[in-house]
Amino acid sequence: FNFDAQTKILAKNLFYFSSLSVMPFVLASLFTNILNSYKQFTFPAVVTLILAALPTLCIILLSSFFSIFALSFSIIITSWATLIILFFYIYRRGFRFNYKLSFTNSKFNKILKVSFWLFISASAVQLNLFVDRVFASQLPAGSISVLYYARTIREIPLIIAMSLPFVILPYFSEKALLGNERQLSTMLSKSLRAGSYLLIPSVAGIFILSNKIIEIIYQSGTFTEYSKQLTVELLNILLPGLVFYWSITIFTGLFYA
């Protein structure tokens, strides 16, 4: 990255602080998946929705004391709050945990083997994002921001559609466990159609209105007309692949089942 020494130190310190949120986010995700496997989607979704406002609140309250580190503190507070709430919820639902780690347990070893390839896949995704940022950092100033803005707008159609893969996975698993391939195939087809009906019109709408959307949301201050055009061009390149990206999550859920 083309960072000066002071920026590198700041980035390193922010990374150290933010890393304190990794473990609680991982455990909170595990608890959420446990609840989802029992077809309980409402509570984790409501918790996430309510706590979504917490980072903004923390930044407003803490920014005058901690400057940019208020962002890291907000992430840490949100992650631990989510974990604590979900832990007590599933504990009250009767779940108990064995904290002993046994590598002789056949089921645990099977999970580790499956998780290894998931880890490789997730790492590849993160590596792609990192490489994108590295290349963007070699471009004129503001390129990383343009990349971030374009990706943020691209994710808007996924806000609703991405809930479907999480909801459908327990039903896929149920049909797969029963060996009912006909119903599994029917459910897959319906899921793909439902997602396409949501995504294709929204992607087309954003593609057509991308210039106006970027102008309304971002064009102010140092965000110039040139920055807007770069963001619009990048957004229009990213949008066509969105439906295929979402479809992969459905097929991935089918393989998990």
Side-chain angles (χ1 to χ4, degrees), residues 98-117:
N98 184 356
Y99 300 99
K100 294 181 180 179
L101 193 62
S102 175
F103 290 98
T104 59
N105 188 302
S106 59
K107 293 182 179 179
F108 178 73
N109 289 331
K110 184 177 181 180
I111 291 174
L112 285 181
K113 290 179 181 178
V114 174
S115 299
F116 172 77
W117 296 110

Side-chain angles (χ1 to χ4, degrees), residues 81-245:
T82 305
L83 173 61
I84 292 171
I85 292 172
L86 290 176
F87 174 81
F88 281 107
Y89 179 78
I90 64 174
Y91 190 86
R92 291 187 62 184
R93 303 284 296 184
F95 289 93
R96 297 296 181 267
F97 304 96
N98 184 356
Y99 300 99
K100 294 181 180 179
L101 193 62
S102 175
F103 290 98
T104 59
N105 188 302
S106 59
K107 293 182 179 179
F108 178 73
N109 289 331
K110 184 177 181 180
I111 291 174
L112 285 181
K113 290 179 181 178
V114 174
S115 299
F116 172 77
W117 296 110
L118 296 178
F119 171 77
I120 296 297
S121 176
S123 298
V125 173
Q126 294 302 316
L127 180 62
N128 284 333
L129 295 175
F130 176 75
V131 170
D132 285 348
R133 285 180 174 270
V134 170
F135 279 114
S137 70
Q138 308 301 317
L139 299 174
S143 296
I144 293 180
S145 297
V146 167
L147 181 64
Y148 171 76
Y149 294 146
R151 280 181 171 160
T152 301
I153 299 299
R154 184 198 63 170
E155 300 298 322
I156 291 177
L158 292 176
I159 293 175
I160 298 176
M162 282 305 291
S163 62
L164 185 57
F166 292 100
V167 173
I168 203 67
L169 179 57
Y171 296 93
F172 277 164
S173 301
E174 185 178 61
K175 302 302 179 184
L177 186 63
L178 296 173
N180 197 329
E181 294 186 1
R182 183 182 295 274
Q183 289 189 13
L184 195 60
S185 177
T186 301
M187 191 176 296
L188 173 63
S189 299
K190 289 182 177 180
S191 300
L192 291 172
R193 284 200 299 270
S196 299
Y197 293 156
L198 290 171
L199 275 178
I200 293 177
S202 58
V203 167
I206 292 177
F207 187 91
I208 295 170
L209 300 173
S210 57
N211 192 73
K212 185 60 66 175
I213 291 173
I214 298 297
E215 181 179 332
I216 293 173
I217 296 177
Y218 292 123
Q219 192 164 1
S220 62
T222 58
F223 195 87
T224 62
E225 179 69 23
Y226 178 68
S227 300
K228 185 189 76 172
Q229 288 304 123
L230 286 179
T231 306
V232 169
E233 291 174 8
L234 180 57
L235 175 62
N236 289 340
I237 293 173
L238 294 173
L239 280 173
L242 200 59
V243 176
F244 303 101
Y245 168 77

Side-chain angles (χ1 to χ4, degrees), residues 25-64:
F25 269 133
V26 169
L27 292 176
S29 177
L30 174 62
F31 294 158
T32 298
N33 287 329
I34 290 174
L35 292 171
N36 288 349
S37 68
Y38 284 89
K39 301 178 183 178
Q40 298 181 29
F41 307 103
T42 304
F43 185 80
V46 170
V47 170
T48 302
L49 181 62
I50 293 175
L51 294 181
L54 190 56
T56 303
L57 181 62
C58 290
I59 291 173
I60 294 173
L61 296 177
L62 300 177
S63 59
S64 58

